[in-house]
Each structure stands twice: as structure tokens, then as C-alpha cells.
Amino acid sequence: MGQTLSVTVTPGVRAEVRSFTTDRSITGMAVERFPNAAAATGAKPPQVLARRLFELSGVRSVAVYSNAVTVEADAGAWAGLEASVVATIAHLFEYYGDDAGWSVDALAKFGIERIASPVQ
């Protein structure tokens, strides 16, 4: 963990859908479906990713299975939305930097506090 994910984008059959494939698994063997932002609760990586994607304007639904993330949004929104979705997915597991997905500031949003290391 702590590395940027490589993300490949594939347009869906419908103009509203994009499939994003990563070089790393995000879930186990279960499909995680999020029909809306209210369904994206919890602290597991697919739940955190779905919440972050719903924060982007235009995202309507998210599904995550292994290394594939399927996002539905308004067809006209993809021109401006696609790069933001790629960046959100790519930075999911990063620990450091302004875009870090698991930085101290990012985790604080979910009530997770940093514990000092016992080794000084």
C-alpha cells in the first residue's frame, strides 16, 4: 500500500458508463455495488472509493469488483469528469502527498485518528 494505482479507462456500451481497470485489486471476490452516496458507508477501500467518487459532480452509481470500477454518470458529464475519476481511483491507497487517499487528514474525515508510534 502507499503506491499510486495505474488506471485504464474503457467506455461502456451505454454513453453513461465508464469502466476503470487498475493494476491492483480493490475488493475480494464480492461485487460491491453503490446505487447512491448513502449506500457508501464503512471504511473498506471500495466503500471509501465510492464515497469519494460520489463527491464528484455527476456520478450516479458505482460498482467495484476486484480491480474493476464501473461508474455511471450523465453522458454529457464525462468530458470533464473522467480525469477526476481516474485521479480519485489512482490515489486511493496513497499515504502521503496532497492527493493521498489515506493521509492523516483524509482519515480524520472518517473519525480515524493517528496513533503515535511506540518507537521513538
Side-chain angles (χ1 to χ4, degrees), residues 21-33:
T21 307
T22 69
D23 60 344
R24 187 169 168 177
S25 183
I26 299 171
T27 70
M29 295 303 295
V31 177
E32 302 266 352
R33 290 187 177 93

Side-chain angles (χ1 to χ4, degrees), residues 4-102:
T4 304
L5 298 175
S6 295
V7 181
T8 304
V9 183
T10 306
V13 174
R14 295 184 359 244
E16 299 89 9
V17 177
R18 295 284 187 281
S19 180
F20 300 85
T21 307
T22 69
D23 60 344
R24 187 169 168 177
S25 183
I26 299 171
T27 70
M29 295 303 295
V31 177
E32 302 266 352
R33 290 187 177 93
F34 306 96
N36 53 49
T41 60
K44 295 189 303 182
Q47 297 160 339
V48 172
L49 177 59
R51 243 188 331 274
R52 291 178 185 168
L53 291 172
F54 280 116
E55 289 175 359
L56 303 175
S57 180
V59 172
R60 294 193 310 222
S61 70
V62 176
V64 185
Y65 174 66
S66 187
N67 68 326
V69 181
T70 304
V71 179
E72 183 178 351
D74 296 327
W78 280 113
L81 183 60
E82 189 172 291
S84 296
V85 172
V86 168
T88 300
I89 296 169
H91 296 289
L92 175 64
F93 291 120
E94 286 185 5
Y95 286 121
Y96 306 104
D98 294 338
D99 295 322
W102 295 96

